[in-house]
Structures are given as structure tokens and as C-alpha cells.
Amino acid sequence: MPAPGRSLGTVAEGRAPRTGLALTADRTIGAVRKRRSRQGHTCRSGKTLRHPRPALEAAPRPDAADNVAGRMAREWQDLFIVDGEPAQVAAAEPEEPGEERRVGRFRRLRESLRRTRQALTSEIQATLFEDLSDETWERLEEALIYADVGARTTAQVVEQLEREATAGDISGGQALTDRLVELLAEIARTGSDKIDLTARPTVILIAGVNGTGKTTTVGKLAWHLSKELGCSVVLGAADTFRAAGVEQLELWAQRAGVEFVKGPPNADPGSVAYDTIAAARRDGADVVIIDTAGRLHTQDDLMAELAKVRRVISKQIPQAPHETLLTVDATTGQNGLRQAKLFSEAVEVDGLVLTKLDGTAKGGIALAIAHELGIPVKLIGIGEKLEDLRPFEPQEFARALVS
């Protein structure tokens, strides 16, 4: 087998916002109020979403003695399924104790969401900790919309919180804040939050427009699979239209110590995908990750090329790709939601990777996408380091977002 990293082939309206941000016409508070009574939702094309959302239910209150570590994100081995069981960590024992390591990660996540949290916290303090009124709930709605939680998602969450507060089920600012966290976490839970690695090889297709951190996500994911889970990984450079895209992925393959397949300059992406699958099957690799094009002359061309790559893969392995992940740049806010809609209408998307959360005040977009599209967020990127790509855990994320 070639050495790791070596190439295997040659292939608004409404009130003025307090944060200084402008509400767009489709995100007014009036629209939020009207949408509260709507039942269900559909894609722009009119198709019912694949993962219908159940109504929010009252969740049991967390015990006050619960510490932050009890709400930590999943470990990498919890994200993956191997032979029907959670994956086992192959790396040596970490230097830090498990609880201390998880608390450290929560602090890192909380810091990455600082801009979003700062915009939310002041409004939460000015609403939930004061006398409740119609204006109170409107201000809370505004704050959530400014964080790009989305009009529809905001309406459902605030309506539920207002109903419980009016009924006397919850009282006091801290209790209301805790319940808000629970509701936001519940709204983000949808579909399967696992990645099944049972197939040999498991084929993971990574899609997304250029600039969303797609290739970096491929490299970091390969590193974690190789270094933490001990999987043999092959990367396929099927994004042949982007200048330096192949070279960037090759560097990531070297850094992760995994195999790499590329084609000649301007190679057909389908042929690169074909060669990558063939190399992985020949060498008995555990996982194949294929990077795809993020920009062509038109949107239709891009979707057609992505569909073609999927067909090439499925001809070699009928059930493949086993997982299709879509990268979305959190800094684009509602534009990211629209991108996710377009991709999910063109191809079957199993999960989302939300990147660049450390550079935005729009961190609530993770909740909007999961709720409105019914597609689970499986990974988030909160920085440039390898460890800053991590599994998404809704309760932890919601806590870091608002408190």
C-alpha cells in the first residue's frame, strides 16, 4: 500500500433593531406572529420535508445540581456507528481527564458563540427577568431573529414559552431562560444524528458551495477518523474545477496521514470518484471521503454534476454514498438556509456541517436549518484548529448560545 498521504491516482420592516441590524421584509415580527398558527411546512418546491417535526413537548426540568460537564457534546466515537455499535477510540488516553476535557470544549464553544450570545443575553435579561407582557415577547422574538434563529423557528419557540409562562408552569427569569434553552435544543433535534460506518468501505460525499470550508472539513474529518478512531481513509479530489482545490486536499491528506486520489488537471469529477472507490476497495479501506465541486457556470450545472458523481459511486457500490454531508457557512445566515434548501431539493442530504461559527453573530442559523429543513446538523466548525471541528450536541449548543 502506498505511504500515507501519497497520491494513488492521477485524477425589514417593523421596529428598528436594538442591535443595529436591519430586519428584512420576510423576517418582520408581524410575520412571526402570523406564522405561529401555521401547521407543518414544505420546501420551496412544495414538497413535504423528509423529516417532519413533532410538536414541542414539555421537557423534564434539569436538576439544579447538574454541572456543565453533564451537557457536553458527544465524543467523536459517539457520532459514528461501527458494526452496529458506537465506535471505539483508537488513540491513547488523553492527557486531560474526560470531564475536564469536556468542560474545556464547552468553554471553547461558548467563546466561539460570543458574538451571538452577547446580542441575545442583553435582550433576555431585559425581557425574561422583567414583568412579562406582549412587548416582552416581541423583544425576545426580535433578539432570536437577529441571531438568525429564523422567523418560523422563533415563532414556535416563543409561542411555547409564552404559553407555559401564562399558564403558570414557569416563573422567574432563570427558570424561563433554562426553559428557553430546552426549547431551542429540542427544535434542533431531528433525524438521525449518527454517521454509520458499518459498510466497507463507507462512502461519505461532501457537498457545498465554494467558501463554506468544504475541503477543510474533508481534511479535518479524515484526520479525526484516522487518528481518533483508527480508520483507514481514502480522500478523493473530485472538486476539479476550483483552482488549487486538489492541492489543498492533498496537503490535508498528508497532514491526516491518509491515502489520496486525484486525476490529471481538469479531470472529470466522476472519473476521480470512480478511481477513488476502486482504490479503496482494492486496498480494503474503511472510509472513503469524496470532495465535490462547489461552483460551476450555473446552479443547474452544479447540481447536475453532483448528481452525476453520486450515480458513478452507486454503480460501484449500490447503497453508496452512505452519507452525504452539506457544508454551510454560518456567517451567511439566511443565505446559508437557502443554499441548504437548494441542495436538499436536488440531492438527498443526510446531515449538515455548519462552519465558521466563531466568526458570526448569526449562530442561531444552526437551529433554523435543522428545524425548517428537517436535516440534522451533525458537525460544527468553531475555529481553525483540528479539534474545532466537532460533533453537534443541541443542548450544549443552545446553552452556549444564550447563557
Side-chain angles (χ1 to χ4, degrees):
M1 181 179 295
R6 177 181 168 187
S7 172
L8 289 173
T10 56
V11 206
E13 294 175 355
R15 285 189 318 203
R18 294 175 178 82
T19 58
L21 300 176
L23 278 175
T24 56
D26 63 343
R27 291 189 291 157
T28 62
I29 299 305
V32 171
R33 292 289 186 185
K34 291 178 182 178
R35 289 171 184 168
R36 286 187 176 191
S37 62
R38 294 183 182 176
Q39 299 295 320
H41 51 284
T42 58
C43 296
R44 181 177 298 174
S45 63
K47 298 182 292 184
T48 301
L49 296 179
R50 270 198 328 280
H51 308 288
R53 295 293 310 177
L56 289 177
E57 298 179 358
R61 300 288 182 271
D63 187 88
D66 283 351
N67 56 36
V68 173
R71 297 187 293 266
M72 288 303 93
R74 298 172 293 169
E75 300 286 351
W76 277 93
Q77 67 267 26
D78 299 323
L79 175 65
F80 298 107
I81 298 174
V82 178
D83 296 329
E85 300 291 338
Q88 299 297 314
V89 176
E93 285 296 314
E95 296 179 2
E96 295 178 290
E99 181 175 320
E100 182 178 347
R101 189 174 70 256
R102 287 192 296 270
V103 170
R105 285 206 303 268
F106 178 80
R107 289 171 180 162
R108 174 71 175 135
L109 174 62
R110 192 171 183 274
E111 174 59 26
S112 73
L113 294 172
R114 175 176 54 84
R115 292 177 62 185
T116 305
R117 188 177 62 257
Q118 286 176 342
L120 281 173
T121 301
S122 60
E123 289 299 317
I124 290 173
Q125 291 289 332
T127 56
L128 299 185
F129 285 81
E130 302 293 337
D131 292 335
L132 301 178
S133 64
D134 286 344
E135 183 180 0
T136 295
W137 299 115
E138 282 196 13
R139 289 186 65 177
L140 180 59
E141 285 172 343
E142 286 182 2
L144 291 172
I145 288 174
Y146 299 151
D148 260 324
V149 172
R152 183 178 298 156
T153 307
T154 293
Q156 187 168 342
V157 168
V158 175
E159 181 183 20
Q160 180 75 18
L161 187 64
E162 183 179 3
R163 185 186 302 118
E164 294 180 13
T166 301
D169 298 336
I170 313 171
S171 62
Q174 189 57 54
L176 285 165
T177 302
D178 291 343
R179 182 58 177 147
L180 175 61
V181 170
E182 293 174 10
L183 292 172
L184 291 174
E186 175 64 22
I187 212 83
R189 294 189 179 100
T190 183
S192 172
D193 62 355
K194 304 285 188 180
I195 296 177
D196 194 338
L197 302 181
T198 304
R200 291 292 185 275
T202 295
V203 181
I204 301 175
L205 193 67
I206 308 294
V209 301
N210 286 350
T212 58
K214 178 169 52 68
T215 301
T216 299
T217 295
V218 172
K220 289 182 178 181
L221 180 58
W223 188 92
H224 284 286
L225 284 167
S226 175
K227 303 303 181 183
E228 297 197 27
L229 301 184
C231 295
S232 55
V233 180
V234 179
L235 300 186
D239 184 2
T240 59
F241 300 101
R242 182 168 67 91
V246 174
E247 291 79 3
Q248 180 187 1
L249 189 62
E250 188 167 16
L251 289 174
W252 271 111
Q254 295 169 357
R255 185 177 182 182
V258 301
E259 309 302 340
F260 177 72
V261 175
K262 67 178 180 179
N266 301 315
D268 177 69
S271 69
V272 177
Y274 183 95
D275 290 343
T276 305
I277 300 295
R281 298 179 73 178
R282 180 189 66 229
D283 297 333
D286 298 316
V287 181
V288 174
I289 308 177
I290 297 179
D291 191 14
T292 61
R295 180 172 297 160
L296 289 176
H297 296 298
T298 69
Q299 175 185 297
D300 290 341
D301 289 341
L302 175 60
M303 299 306 171
E305 190 62 52
L306 184 58
K308 174 186 173 182
V309 171
R310 288 177 60 90
R311 288 195 302 271
V312 169
I313 294 171
S314 64
K315 285 181 179 179
Q316 290 184 281
I317 304 177
Q319 293 77 28
H322 304 95
E323 188 84 16
T324 299
L325 298 177
L326 176 67
T327 58
V328 175
D329 181 352
T331 64
T332 62
Q334 293 297 309
N335 284 333
L337 175 60
R338 285 187 283 272
Q339 288 174 14
K341 282 183 178 179
L342 291 172
F343 272 92
S344 64
E345 290 170 2
V347 298
E348 184 175 353
V349 176
D350 301 295
L352 299 174
V353 182
L354 197 62
T355 64
K356 307 183 184 181
L357 278 167
D358 56 317
T360 182
K362 302 177 180 181
I365 194 63
L367 311 177
I369 291 178
H371 177 239
E372 296 193 26
L373 299 187
I375 302 174
V377 177
K378 297 194 177 184
L379 294 165
I380 55 175
I382 59 172
E384 298 297 327
K385 299 178 181 178
L386 282 165
E387 60 268 25
D388 289 337
L389 179 70
R390 55 186 294 178
F392 176 73
E393 202 291 310
Q395 184 75 20
E396 175 204 46
F397 186 87
R399 178 69 62 180
L401 194 67
V402 304
S403 64

